[in-house]
Amino acid sequence: MKAEPAAARDHRPIYIQVAESLRARILSGYYDDRLDGELKLVQEWKVSRRTIQQAIEILVDEGLLGRQQGAGTFINHRGVAKRYRAITSITDGIVAQGMRARYRILSSGLEPATPRGTEFFGLLAGDQVYAHRRLVLADDRPVAVVSTLLNPQVLDGLELSHLDKGLYSTLREHYGRTIVHAQDHYRPVIADAEIAGHLRLEPGTAIFFAQRRAVDQDGKPMELSDIAMIPVPLEIAISQVGADWIGKPPLTAEPWDYRVGFGDFGATP
């Protein structure tokens, strides 16, 4: 028996579904400044104008949209930046340090999903993933070998064999996907001969190894990356909340917060 389409199993009110789709577009940068007109949205979703208005009202209340009488509905970029912030990539870290990010593609294309990729992306046996591996340089200095797995079932027509800029900006600009949540795990490892060669280090040098699991604005598993980095100074910030005290600052969303940057790529190892 043919499986029922996912949309047909969604029993939420239509205006909620439309609001969710519009929210994803706004967060992914699909719209520059102005939302499509109500009539265009009515035609696209094949719903009533009132349904579109209800969906827009939700996003106005969330602070993602703003209305101007007689001018239309606009993206509230300040509200978007305040509520949803894209995750920093290694490219962002390099550029923020005043250096130029360059890349050398080592391999790029479809391959059978490993058990790790199958579990993370929720794939079936025999499905493929898109594997992209490249050497990242800060100015002309190799700083990292990044091996990334992506889900081609979500990224239609994915092709990165000639990618010459940041992966996150490409996912955002060409595929409407913005990485909004990531879990990173860092540990020191010993560079094998291949990684040491790419990073211009002696085999056996201690380097940092980071693993990243990231999802997009829809909560879809998007990126599974292994990052082998030169031994750079890492910036670590830890804040903890314990017992209350007189004059305490406002509590954060979590009892403790841990952040680590990609490091100072301009430093000498």
Side-chain angles (χ1 to χ4, degrees):
M1 186 173 72
K2 187 175 181 180
E4 185 180 19
R9 298 193 300 268
D10 193 336
H11 301 296
R12 296 172 301 165
I14 298 299
Y15 73 92
I16 297 292
Q17 299 179 47
V18 173
E20 186 174 271
S21 296
L22 287 175
R23 184 186 299 111
R25 286 186 177 184
I26 292 168
L27 297 181
S28 68
Y30 181 89
Y31 299 110
D32 291 329
D33 292 300
R34 186 195 297 262
L35 190 70
D36 288 338
E38 291 181 4
L39 292 180
K40 183 175 180 180
L41 295 174
V42 164
Q43 295 172 354
E44 178 179 357
W45 265 282
K46 296 180 173 57
V47 296
S48 70
R49 188 164 186 171
R50 179 55 188 157
T51 296
I52 295 298
Q53 291 171 344
Q54 288 177 298
I56 291 175
E57 287 169 5
I58 290 175
L59 302 179
V60 170
D61 290 342
E62 290 181 4
L64 300 181
L65 293 176
R67 287 196 176 102
Q68 293 184 16
Q69 188 66 32
T73 305
F74 294 83
I75 309 301
N76 180 6
H77 293 291
R78 180 175 296 180
V80 172
K82 181 179 179 181
R83 187 168 178 182
Y84 302 98
R85 290 176 292 178
I87 301 300
T88 301
S89 69
I90 195 168
T91 297
D92 297 327
I94 292 171
V95 173
Q97 294 175 35
M99 293 178 282
R100 178 190 175 202
R102 297 197 304 109
Y103 314 95
R104 184 183 307 154
I105 307 300
L106 303 177
S107 61
S108 190
L110 293 171
E111 63 179 40
T114 62
R116 180 170 168 239
T118 299
E119 182 273 332
F120 178 68
F121 294 118
L123 301 176
L124 300 175
D127 284 343
Q128 293 183 309
V129 294
Y130 193 97
H132 182 71
R133 193 164 187 256
R134 59 180 176 166
L135 176 66
V136 182
L137 301 96
D139 290 336
D140 292 320
R141 180 189 183 193
V143 296
V145 175
V146 183
S147 302
T148 298
L149 299 181
L150 300 162
N151 186 356
Q153 296 183 5
V154 176
L155 301 165
D156 186 41
L158 183 63
E159 170 52 53
L160 302 176
S161 60
H162 300 289
L163 184 63
D164 60 356
K165 62 179 181 178
L167 174 64
Y168 285 6
S169 62
T170 298
L171 293 178
R172 183 181 179 92
E173 295 168 9
H174 296 284
Y175 299 96
R177 300 292 176 178
T178 300
I179 301 299
V180 298
H181 180 74
Q183 293 179 331
D184 292 347
H185 177 75
Y186 292 77
R187 69 178 187 270
V189 300
I190 299 300
D192 60 23
E194 187 218 0
I195 293 296
H198 287 309
L199 298 179
R200 301 176 191 168
L201 301 172
E202 291 294 327
T205 299
I207 62 173
F208 282 113
F209 182 76
Q211 290 184 306
R212 169 166 285 191
R213 299 159 62 93
V215 302
D216 71 357
Q217 73 275 8
D218 291 330
K220 295 184 181 299
M222 190 59 47
E223 173 202 12
L224 193 59
S225 286
D226 292 339
I227 307 169
M229 294 186 295
I230 60 175
V232 294
L234 293 181
E235 178 182 350
I236 299 173
I238 301 175
S239 61
Q240 302 179 59
V241 178
D244 293 348
W245 71 93
I246 297 174
K248 69 175 183 178
L251 291 178
T252 57
E254 299 293 336
W256 63 277
D257 181 45
Y258 171 78
R259 299 185 306 279
V260 58
F262 280 109
D264 182 2
F265 294 115
T268 301

